[in-house]
Amino acid sequence: MKERILKNWTLTRALFLVLGTIIIIQSILSQQWFGILFGSYFASMGLFSFGCAAGNCYGGSCAVETKKSSETQK
């Protein structure tokens, strides 16, 4: 978990974290409590690198192998 938070920072992750934090602060100031949940989701995506902020599946577990067709094997 520590490695996931501290490594592989991209611009996308930073933007998710910053924008999520801004949404949380703005929601608190305007007393829109549902916005805190919305902002927390985006901030946690940036902080913990899951969802869209990860860019690709973390750890490469979602890699799809290409199959060779029968025509290319001849």
Side-chain angles (χ1 to χ4, degrees):
M1 182 63 87
K2 182 180 175 182
E3 179 181 326
R4 202 169 196 184
I5 293 173
L6 298 177
K7 303 228 183 210
N8 299 325
W9 277 91
T10 61
L11 179 62
T12 306
R13 278 185 71 185
L15 284 175
F16 272 106
L17 181 62
V18 169
L19 292 175
T21 304
I22 290 171
I23 292 171
I24 292 169
I25 292 169
Q26 190 64 31
S27 297
I28 291 171
L29 293 175
S30 63
Q31 297 180 353
Q32 299 292 324
W33 308 118
F34 182 73
I36 295 172
L37 296 174
F38 187 68
S40 297
Y41 175 72
F42 284 103
S44 62
M45 274 190 354
L47 186 62
F48 298 113
S49 183
F50 70 88
C52 301
N56 294 323
C57 297
Y58 184 75
S61 60
C62 295
V64 178
E65 295 182 27
T66 57
K67 294 181 181 180
K68 294 181 181 179
S69 66
S70 60
E71 293 176 7
T72 59
Q73 292 177 353
K74 291 181 181 180

